[in-house]
Amino acid sequence: MATFLSSLIQPFCGYNRGGTESFKLAVNDYHTYGQKMNYQSGKLDEARMQAHGESKVGFTKSLHRNVCRAYAPSGISVGKSGQKFGTGGKTEEDRKVATYLFRTEFGDLVYAFVGKRGSGFMVNIEISSLKLASIDETLLLSWGVYRSNSAIVTPNFQSILPEETIGATEAPFVRTSEGKFAVELEFDAKHDPFYLSFLLKYPVGVDSGSSEIKSHRKTSFSVPVGFGRGYPSPLGLSISGDGSINFSIFSSTAESVVLCLYNDSTSEKPVLELDLDPYINRSGNIWHASFEGASNFVSYGYRCRGSKFHENQDEAEVSRILVDPYAKILTASIPKTRGQGLGLPSKFLGQICNVPAFSWDGEVRPNLPMEKLFIYRLNVKHFTVDKSSQLPIDIAGTFSGLTQKLLHFKKLGVNAVLLEPIFPFDEKDGPYFPFHFFSPTNIYVPSGASISSLNSVKEMVKVLHANGVEVILEVVFTHTAMDGALQGIDDSCYYFVNRVTNSEGKSALNCNHPIVQQLLLDSLRYWVTEFHIDGFCFINASSLLQGHHGELLSRPPFAEAIAFDPLLSKTKIIADFWDPQESVPKEIRFPHWKRWAELNSKFSNDIKEFFRGEGLVRSLATRLCGSGDVFSDGRGPAFSFNFIARNVGLPLVDLVSFSSSKLASELSWNCGEEGPTSNIEVLEKRLKQIRNFIFVLFVSLGVPVLNMGDECGQSSGGSVAFKDRKSFNWDSLKTDFGTQTTQFITFLSSFRSRRFDLFQSRNFLKVENIDWFDNNQSPPDWEDPSCKFLAVMLRADKEESGSITENPKPQSDIFMAFNASDQSVSVALPEPSEGTTWFRLVDTALSFPGFFSSDGEPVPTTSPITYEMQAHSCTLFEAKSFND
């Protein structure tokens, strides 16, 4: 038996510090096998050191190692070796780590046994038989090692050696007592991990027809030493209870994947690189590797080489280290800067550690019915970062800062917050350009640490839930950041590369591709299970309908998978089906399977059109009654999330202050003057318009959505750009406008809850309980564009009100009128039910505090009952007795 003694290995010289440097194993000029013998050093095949076949990994109880799952690529034979470990030199201390079975190009079976011997590793290679039996006694093992570059196989681990030392070492096979041919090598543990690459070889002069025997795939054999084959599932980093670690990443286009490990996340280069063998460390299109432990490593990333999509990229881009799409914890690294050398990491790497445990003891999820929601949309940082929040500097602008303002939510009546995207994002472009989907950004925590961010989000959710407030996240799954996201891993799967002419191929996410769909579904489930998120709002949902080639899909698989997912379908799933580029025909509706709700852009457009004097009363009536033209197909008004101001448009105060031609899509009206003004008439008109918008938002069937800052007149100066949005100014709540508007919202929220029978119904109101009028109680002219007035009487459902319930429904009627003209109107009110009189609760044209009242002001009962409405105003009346 030829034994490569550990005492003959030179001291380890250091890890690889560059992408092209080789790792080499120093050997003595002889092998011990009965007598001293010289060896020949020759060049190995320049092809990649790839092994034919798959590995079957075995373990003993004394060895802590992951159980690997064998997946055979097409055309690869995988067999059970059934061999004993080693053939000679075996000691009691030997522990089997893994067994790999290969097949030669002639059909012979080659077994490679990797084991632990003391503090080092031993590799025993056995051949059962040889087709060329007459010369088998002269068979040699020609071997070398590599780490970062499988095309460069060397006989030692020195970091820099002359080019002529690149080659292989040879050791003879011997026939064992069992009739097999075997050779055994030993390696010091301080050199692992690495690959042992070898060929079977005949000495020069032997007439064998060929001097080398390769694998069935005409490549060299490769055996991992000091690490394992790993397993393909789950994707990402996984740490077992015994401390073993598995790395797994998908890429169908990469010809080579290099696992890069760091012992310091701020280092410019990884401390260790492993060029994963495509037949040992790949199952299908998933690359994987495992370690018994990686205590010396703190972070990791990948290089994906050889993709055809790298053809037009410079070497720096191709060599860039990529973050694992499934990493649960990210750690900040040095920024990628051109001109500073190759192989620079991206801004973030995956952190090698378990997600810290968090105590959810005592948490109770609100599980509010959708029709009961009042949603407040906000940006976590902008909400409290301003010094006017009076929060400590380390709390302002953070997840923790948001929970410090619970009193504001309670005062308004808010019971759900809709957070602008909190995934890690490109700070230059804003939160709507994410580069990762499994972790929260570390921008919204004081320390900027990823683990602190995880705990802060969970603590925020726990506190909000304890106060009856649900947490819904805006998510962007239609595109990513232009750089540092999924680019370079497998662009043909993740992105619309050269397929959609009107999309930015480099960042347009191909969400209906099966691999991308799996990634996004896994992300959503993770946020529900790990962070207890109550729902998701999908931004740019129109893009979710696009197929792989840009075609429109009637049943987009990603949206359908969410609708029927046993976990996600029980959350609140909301499609922001806004389509500013009109890539989807207007007659196309979002497929919902009676599970998807929608942000109702038609509500926003029609209400703004009506109050600027250009809409039809028919459209206003449709929106007040829950948008039956959209949601009567098996869903109901509770699936309509109503809003006036968009998340990426003009704030509410700007919708009545700016209306230049460049803002045409906003449907705004400046009420007579552009921008800030001191004109009292214009200011009064703007004030009424804001009140009108808020009023309609709360008296329409559906879920009201209010944007952060709209309650206190937050302005962006007429700009729709994200960079021009200002932080919430808490001092503005103390202004006259802020005080009046906040109190008005509080009143409407309370009134809506009190009259849940009419304004928080999950179903559409019965037709017989609704009467429409013009100002003189005649039927309105639905199609007359000059008609600017509409009134409606809502009758409480007597059948339902009469049912015996724990909280009987109110039985009083409601009368509302809407005047969008610039003239006052005398309105004839219908006769109230017997024993009641009309009480005015709201008139948006009156001055504060008289423009709304919880108790209401009684309307004179002289017949006919009339009420004078001012221009651009709304009114609300409730029929009740004086004893109520």
Side-chain angles (χ1 to χ4, degrees), residues 252-263:
S252 65
T253 58
E255 296 175 2
S256 169
V257 171
V258 179
L259 174 62
C260 302
L261 298 169
Y262 292 76
N263 60 6

Side-chain angles (χ1 to χ4, degrees), residues 69-234:
R69 305 176 181 125
Y71 289 77
S74 177
I76 303 297
S77 299
V78 180
K80 186 174 182 179
S81 66
Q83 299 293 317
K84 294 182 179 179
F85 182 67
T87 60
K90 181 177 178 293
T91 69
E92 293 182 359
E93 289 77 21
D94 291 348
R95 294 182 298 165
K96 182 166 60 176
V97 173
T99 302
Y100 300 91
L101 174 62
F102 305 95
R103 191 179 299 277
T104 71
E105 55 190 312
F106 302 113
D108 301 303
L109 298 181
V110 178
Y111 297 92
F113 304 90
V114 180
K116 290 281 290 185
R117 176 171 292 172
S119 62
F121 287 91
M122 49 99 50
V123 180
N124 189 290
I125 299 170
E126 291 184 355
I127 304 174
S128 303
S129 62
L130 282 175
K131 296 291 192 289
L132 305 176
S134 61
I135 58 172
D136 53 23
E137 293 183 359
T138 60
L139 185 67
L140 301 176
L141 180 77
S142 179
W143 64 272
V145 294
Y146 70 87
R147 281 199 188 105
S148 64
N149 192 339
S150 60
I152 303 177
V153 179
T154 66
N156 61 61
F157 280 111
Q158 294 179 6
S159 58
I160 299 178
L161 282 179
E163 179 66 24
E164 58 267 17
T165 65
I166 297 176
T169 301
E170 295 178 355
F173 280 90
V174 296
R175 186 186 294 271
T176 69
S177 59
E178 299 173 347
K180 302 176 183 178
F181 302 90
V183 64
E184 186 175 279
L185 306 176
E186 287 189 12
F187 301 93
D188 197 306
K190 65 184 179 182
H191 298 305
D192 72 88
F194 59 87
Y195 281 99
L196 170 66
S197 179
F198 65 89
L199 296 171
L200 308 181
K201 189 174 182 180
Y202 294 102
V204 177
V206 175
D207 186 15
S208 63
S210 173
S211 63
E212 296 178 343
I213 300 177
K214 299 181 179 181
S215 73
H216 179 71
R217 287 183 171 268
K218 309 297 183 183
T219 63
S220 300
F221 305 89
S222 290
V223 176
V225 179
F227 68 106
R229 177 183 185 273
Y231 41 89
S233 180

Side-chain angles (χ1 to χ4, degrees), residues 15 59 63-66 97 116 121 189 192-193 225-228 231 237-247 259 261-262 272 274 289-298 352-354:
Y15 287 112
F59 308 96
L63 180 63
H64 299 300
R65 171 71 78 172
N66 286 328
V97 173
K116 290 281 290 185
F121 287 91
D192 72 88
V225 179
F227 68 106
Y231 41 89
L237 172 77
S238 54
I239 303 178
S240 300
D242 59 7
S244 56
I245 300 174
N246 190 78
F247 299 90
L259 174 62
L261 298 169
Y262 292 76
L272 176 66
L274 279 177
S290 62
F291 293 81
E292 288 186 14
S295 58
N296 294 329
F297 304 119
V298 298
I352 302 177
C353 67
N354 275 316

Side-chain angles (χ1 to χ4, degrees), residues 532-563:
H532 292 201
I533 296 302
D534 301 291
F536 304 92
C537 179
F538 295 77
I539 303 300
N540 298 335
S542 58
S543 297
L544 301 182
L545 306 186
Q546 291 186 352
H548 190 46
H549 300 282
E551 73 279 14
L552 290 179
L553 304 174
S554 60
R555 297 184 64 176
F558 178 52
E560 185 171 9
I562 294 174

Side-chain angles (χ1 to χ4, degrees), residues 374 376-377 383 408-409 412 414 652-653 690 694 706-714 728-730 732-733 735-745:
F374 168 22
Y376 187 89
R377 176 163 44 198
F383 188 53
H408 185 60
F409 298 147
L412 292 175
V414 169
L652 188 60
V653 71
I690 290 174
I694 294 174
L706 184 72
N707 279 354
M708 174 190 80
D710 284 349
E711 71 270 38
C712 58
Q714 197 87 10
F728 190 92
N729 186 346
W730 290 88
S732 62
L733 291 173
T735 64
D736 290 342
F737 177 86
T739 301
Q740 296 176 24
T741 306
T742 300
Q743 291 184 15
F744 187 41
I745 293 172

Side-chain angles (χ1 to χ4, degrees), residues 10 51 71 108 204 210 292 323 493 503 586 624 646 713 824 839:
Q10 294 183 0
Y71 289 77
D108 301 303
V204 177
S210 173
E292 288 186 14
V323 67
C493 289
S503 296
K586 292 183 178 180
L624 289 170
R646 291 200 56 82
S824 61
F839 283 74

